[in-house]
Amino acid sequence: MRRRALLAGLLAFPAAWATGQGAAKVSRIAYISMAPAGADRHWMQALREGLRDHGYLEGRNLVIDERHANNDAAKGDALLRELLASRPAVLVVYGSALMPAIKMVNTDVPVVMTVHADPVGSGVVRSLARPGGNITGLTDGHADLAPKRLDLLRELVPALKKAGVLFNPASTHSARQWKLVEQAGRGLKIEVVPVHIGGPRDAEQAFETVRQQRLEGLVFAPDPTWWVGQEKRIAGLAIARRIPTVGSVREFAEHGILLAYGTNFAHLWRKAATYVDRILKGAKPGDLAIEHPNRFELVVNAKTAKAIGVQVPRAVLARADHVIE
């Protein structure tokens, strides 16, 4: 009798899989980014690793529908509507510019933000502790780090008297950082000059302003809507003009900016996977508190320092989380 039962079970096993019985549940999530395709690949890798840690494997029980708007607002809106119409289990978003459209057209698809400068002030959510609605995720509202980048620039250039802040005046977050650096400059007796850069076409003109103003260094107050994917170009312009620069995320330093100090974005994307997991397991987005990053890093590009003739102080090197040789 036992042999018959065992044989019956073995014979039934393939049939069950053929009819879908016992097959692993496949979760389909969507990811939309305002960045160009590939520009955020390191962060997407972190998201995938985070999902893997929670037991989600692409090709087995997970499908990721990934789209990039290439800094094109109209394209972003069209891709967003297309993804929402496909009814993913969760929509993961990179790009604050997409959030107004999400609020307008999306009523029930759960949304996880990888990063947003000010989700409460911009009206995306009700509060960080209790977002409400169907949106949650992470915020990187640390504009107060911008003055610290000016301090780092002063360590690189001890006699610093005149510095620029590269920022996008159309971005609330970027403009706020500019103001904070300007205020810090007054306390340090450093003249701080605004250097506007609203898009990729403005990069050359921005560095022409640097030349005309005879600026001794630059601090970045980035606008994440389009800066991702432009790091190498901006770094190249800075190196060609031998301008010491301090950016906000390690990718800037990896592409040639002298120093970078700010949030570890890969950590945010990995953390976003935890939100996705909790939502897939039944949690309501509106009940999941939006978190601030708690991991900041200092990255030094020693190759750039040598190329532009800057001696990075030992004290800065000692504090660095990573030095690019």
Side-chain angles (χ1 to χ4, degrees), residues 116 118-128 290:
H116 193 295
D118 186 13
V120 176
S122 62
V124 172
V125 297
R126 185 173 57 206
S127 74
L128 297 182
I290 293 173

Side-chain angles (χ1 to χ4, degrees), residues 15-323:
W17 276 94
T19 58
Q21 299 174 29
K25 178 183 177 182
V26 177
S27 298
R28 188 177 69 84
I29 70 172
Y31 174 80
I32 184 168
S33 168
M34 283 298 295
D40 53 358
R41 63 185 179 280
H42 296 112
W43 304 336
M44 275 302 295
Q45 180 61 26
L47 176 68
R48 287 183 163 92
E49 290 172 358
L51 289 167
R52 193 177 305 126
D53 289 344
H54 288 288
Y56 302 97
L57 300 173
E58 286 183 273
R60 290 189 184 180
N61 60 352
L62 176 69
V63 173
I64 301 178
D65 193 355
E66 186 176 345
R67 308 294 173 85
H68 291 80
N70 197 27
N71 302 314
D72 184 326
K75 183 177 180 180
D77 185 68
L79 290 174
L80 175 63
R81 292 174 184 274
E82 179 183 316
L83 286 174
L84 289 173
S86 71
R87 309 294 301 167
V90 182
L91 175 66
V92 181
V93 179
Y94 171 52
S96 301
L98 292 164
M99 296 312 299
I102 289 175
K103 286 281 290 183
M104 184 179 300
V105 304
N106 182 34
T107 57
D108 57 352
V109 172
V111 174
V112 173
M113 305 177 293
T114 55
V115 58
H116 193 295
D118 186 13
V120 176
S122 62
V124 172
V125 297
R126 185 173 57 206
S127 74
L128 297 182
R130 301 281 293 183
N134 61 328
I135 299 173
T136 188
L138 299 119
T139 177
D140 182 30
H142 289 276
D144 57 319
L145 294 181
K148 295 182 180 179
R149 296 181 192 118
L150 182 63
D151 283 333
L152 284 165
L153 183 61
R154 189 175 59 154
E155 288 190 71
L156 295 171
V157 187
L160 185 67
K161 295 298 180 185
K162 191 175 184 180
V165 177
L166 197 67
F167 80 103
N168 180 3
S171 165
T172 302
H173 182 56
S174 187
R176 183 182 172 214
Q177 291 182 70
W178 139 248
K179 285 295 184 185
L180 289 171
V181 177
E182 182 190 33
Q183 292 169 14
R186 287 198 293 268
L188 296 170
K189 293 183 171 52
I190 297 172
E191 181 184 355
V192 179
V193 177
V195 181
H196 295 177
I197 182 166
R201 295 180 181 178
D202 298 339
E204 282 78 7
Q205 182 56 49
F207 279 90
E208 178 61 18
T209 300
V210 170
R211 185 190 68 81
Q212 292 174 358
Q213 291 284 340
R214 299 180 181 275
L215 301 181
E216 300 165 302
L218 271 178
V219 172
F220 291 6
D223 169 20
T225 301
W226 73 265
W227 283 49
V228 174
Q230 298 294 327
E231 303 98 332
K232 189 173 183 178
R233 183 183 184 196
I234 294 171
L237 290 167
I239 292 171
R241 289 157 179 77
R242 299 172 68 86
I243 301 296
T245 48
V246 182
S248 57
V249 292
R250 73 179 300 144
E251 283 74 17
F252 277 118
E254 288 172 349
H255 284 91
I257 291 301
L258 180 53
L259 256 67
Y261 177 66
T263 302
N264 184 323
F265 270 29
H267 177 68
L268 296 185
W269 264 246
R270 196 180 190 103
K271 184 68 176 178
T274 299
Y275 282 87
V276 172
D277 173 59
R278 293 181 67 182
I279 291 169
L280 290 176
K281 290 176 177 175
K284 295 180 180 179
D287 294 337
L288 301 178
I290 293 173
E291 294 187 26
H292 280 285
N294 56 11
R295 186 175 300 181
F296 308 106
E297 58 184 354
L298 173 62
V299 182
V300 178
N301 191 315
K303 292 190 294 185
T304 296
K306 184 177 180 180
I308 67 175
V310 169
Q311 183 70 43
V312 180
R314 289 184 180 179
V316 174
L317 292 172
R319 299 198 307 271
D321 297 279
H322 183 58
V323 177

